[in-house]
Amino acid sequence: MAELAAVLATTHHPFFLKATELTPPDERMPQAAEWKSKVEAYRETLTAAEPDILVMVGADHFHQFFQDNYPTFLIGKQPKYDATFYNEEREFGLPKYLLDGHEDLSGFMFQGLLDRGFDFSISHELKIDHSIICPIITTRPAADLPVVPIYTNIFAPPLPSPRRFYDLGRAIRSIIDEYPSDKKIAAVGSGHLSLELGGPRQFGETGPDPVFDRKAIDWLASGDIEAILENVTHASMAGAGNATHGFMDLILMLGIAGPIDASYVDELDLFHTREMYMTWYPGGDPR
Amino acid sequence: MSVYYVNKFLYQVDGDPGLLAAYKADPAALVERWEADYGRRLGTNNSVETTSWLHFTEAERAALVEHDYVALFELGAHFFLTLTIFIAIYDDDYSAASGPLSFQREYAAKLSHWLDKDYPTVAL
């Protein structure tokens, strides 16, 4: 059976590459060096797991999908995936990528999800946006591993519940555990802590709700799903910032890891968000 | 209310550099052209099948023509679409004149009467 070698949950700040490597050193923001060094240290937690395949969790930000047909949960099943849309290049300076897919695991995952009551949509022409490319840039910049992309709706309400995200993570975990392969699989998902976009609390000196951020990191780091499900609702996330619902993809990643302590936890306050870098090793820490 | 149609406008225009440039240069003309053509197309990329019944209210059309992101917020247009398209239109000019993030901060300030209130829903 396949081995789940690592589970990574991270915020995806689309300006990381632009703020660090794409800006000349003397023009960089004061935190650029610290930001880069934290990202590089985080990258080591994936490298150390020596994965063969990446199961990637993210959410389309109205790049490919729109409200004429927005999938609640969707998986790609393709030999290749183009990545980065015109308006992401324009706004964030993100490069284009062509990632390899892993059709066999995508198909096994899709069937396994149906069998477990998660009636996914499936795409054979999915283009990947920054929710998956940002963690590729930060945790696997060589972009040399085949991926299985899973998209959730944290973006176009009404949304599934936090519990549903956790349960989906648990289902993904059991499917990985049953996958008949000797490959090592890492799950890498991205989302948000408190975040405001297009509202009165956007682009402040900190994220819109540092108190929520503190609790959220502590809950995830200690695997405390009970506290999350007691405290985190659609309304409470909206209270922390209008785009905070991306936290549910981090709950999903805890679902893949299971209710265990994280082996790596780091964070960084930027000008309008707090970044979080977390890794669980369900089978033991390889470092 | 036809917030879906407003979002469709923002989605299509933001994703097409030609439409975006036209929306910056002459918003009224682009809104009129969009309503006669792109807005009619079924979904977001169908050049044959059409939708016959979707239309803007006067308030929605006026908000789009005037680049009025406060009105769009209050009408329930999706915050990500609205922010992204107006960053594309205004950020470079504001940054050159007043420094980085000056447009985004003005945008936030103009919405400050919504602090500590429940925002208009973006749910459809």
Side-chain angles (χ1 to χ4, degrees):
Chain A
M1 295 297 112
E3 175 190 344
L4 178 62
V7 180
L8 278 72
T10 173
T11 50
H12 65 250
H13 199 306
F15 283 105
F16 168 72
L17 194 64
K18 192 173 185 177
T20 58
E21 290 164 36
L22 300 184
T23 299
D26 56 341
E27 296 172 25
R28 289 178 190 169
M29 59 191 284
Q31 289 163 294
E34 182 187 14
W35 194 1
K36 192 162 183 286
S37 109
K38 280 181 178 277
V39 162
E40 287 169 353
Y42 184 50
R43 183 179 305 154
E44 290 304 312
T45 71
L46 181 62
T47 307
E50 300 182 330
D52 302 304
I53 307 169
L54 300 179
V55 172
M56 306 287 302
V57 175
D60 181 79
H61 297 62
F62 285 150
H63 289 120
Q64 179 165 352
F65 299 110
F66 181 64
Q67 289 164 314
D68 61 321
N69 189 6
Y70 196 95
T72 298
F73 296 119
L74 177 142
I75 186 168
K77 182 172 183 286
Q78 301 168 204
K80 301 276 183 183
Y81 296 89
D82 286 308
T84 305
F85 290 76
Y86 143 72
N87 41 9
E88 294 175 296
E89 289 186 276
R90 183 192 72 208
E91 184 171 359
F92 308 131
L94 290 171
K96 288 191 179 297
Y97 286 84
L98 178 61
L99 303 180
D100 286 333
H102 198 290
E103 289 189 276
D104 189 69
L105 180 54
S106 281
F108 187 82
M109 181 71 70
F110 180 58
Q111 186 60 51
L113 289 163
L114 293 176
D115 293 344
R116 287 162 177 77
F118 288 90
D119 300 327
F120 261 55
S121 300
I122 188 164
S123 177
H124 304 283
E125 193 178 357
L126 178 67
K127 185 168 180 172
I128 285 170
D129 91 347
H130 70 267
S131 65
I132 286 178
I133 279 306
C134 289
I136 288 287
I137 289 169
T138 53
T139 68
R140 193 76 183 187
D144 58 346
L145 295 177
V147 302
V148 171
I150 291 174
Y151 269 176
T152 70
N153 181 11
I154 48 86
F155 196 66
L159 308 175
S161 67
R163 177 178 292 281
R164 188 68 170 160
F165 278 77
Y166 183 74
D167 290 346
L168 174 56
R170 295 271 67 200
I172 291 169
R173 167 63 180 278
S174 74
I175 295 163
I176 292 172
D177 286 345
E178 289 181 9
Y179 184 49
S181 163
D182 58 1
K183 300 292 187 189
K184 294 172 80 169
I185 298 173
V188 180
S190 80
H192 308 294
L193 299 171
S194 71
L195 181 65
E196 177 100 344
L197 295 171
R201 294 172 287 177
Q202 70 176 1
F203 295 97
E205 291 306 311
T206 66
D209 193 341
V211 174
F212 173 84
D213 294 345
R214 177 78 273 125
K215 289 181 189 165
I217 293 171
D218 291 346
W219 290 327
L220 290 171
S222 59
D224 193 350
I225 186 60
E226 297 306 322
I228 290 173
L229 295 180
E230 270 174 34
N231 289 282
V232 178
T233 64
H234 292 154
S236 75
M237 286 185 281
N242 66 350
T244 304
H245 304 82
F247 180 62
M248 292 193 291
D249 275 338
L250 306 182
I251 300 174
L252 190 161
M253 300 316 293
L254 178 62
I256 298 177
I260 58 172
D261 287 343
S263 293
Y264 186 91
V265 182
D266 199 8
E267 58 192 90
L268 175 65
D269 256 324
L270 287 173
F271 53 92
H272 70 282
T273 65
R274 181 172 295 181
E275 297 303 292
M276 185 198 84
Y277 309 111
M278 192 171 298
T279 300
W280 297 268
Y281 293 116
D285 190 333
R287 295 172 301 166
Chain B
M1 288 285 285
S2 37
V3 177
Y4 168 80
Y5 208 44
V6 172
N7 287 345
K8 180 173 170 175
F9 175 92
L10 298 169
Y11 172 87
Q12 286 190 309
V13 175
D14 185 67
D16 182 321
L19 294 177
L20 183 64
Y23 186 45
K24 180 173 182 175
D26 188 344
L30 188 274
V31 170
E32 185 178 347
R33 174 155 74 93
W34 185 89
E35 286 188 87
D37 179 0
Y38 291 86
R40 297 262 69 85
R41 301 181 188 187
L42 179 67
T44 58
N45 196 26
N46 194 320
S47 59
V48 175
E49 300 298 335
T50 59
T51 292
S52 61
W53 53 273
L54 283 165
H55 65 278
F56 294 132
T57 64
E58 287 303 318
E60 290 163 348
R61 186 180 295 107
L64 291 172
V65 167
E66 291 160 20
H67 289 182
D68 186 347
Y69 52 78
V70 174
L72 291 169
F73 179 91
E74 293 175 351
L75 288 164
H78 197 283
F79 52 84
F80 187 88
L81 291 168
T82 310
L83 176 64
T84 301
I85 198 168
F86 291 116
I87 282 178
I89 291 172
Y90 290 108
D91 184 47
D92 284 351
D93 294 342
Y94 270 68
S95 290
S98 309
L101 296 175
S102 53
F103 174 68
Q104 290 85 338
R105 290 189 174 125
E106 180 177 295
Y107 191 128
K110 286 186 177 178
L111 287 165
S112 60
H113 53 289
W114 284 98
L115 285 169
D116 302 320
K117 294 180 187 164
D118 289 336
Y119 301 170
T121 182
V122 298
L124 297 184

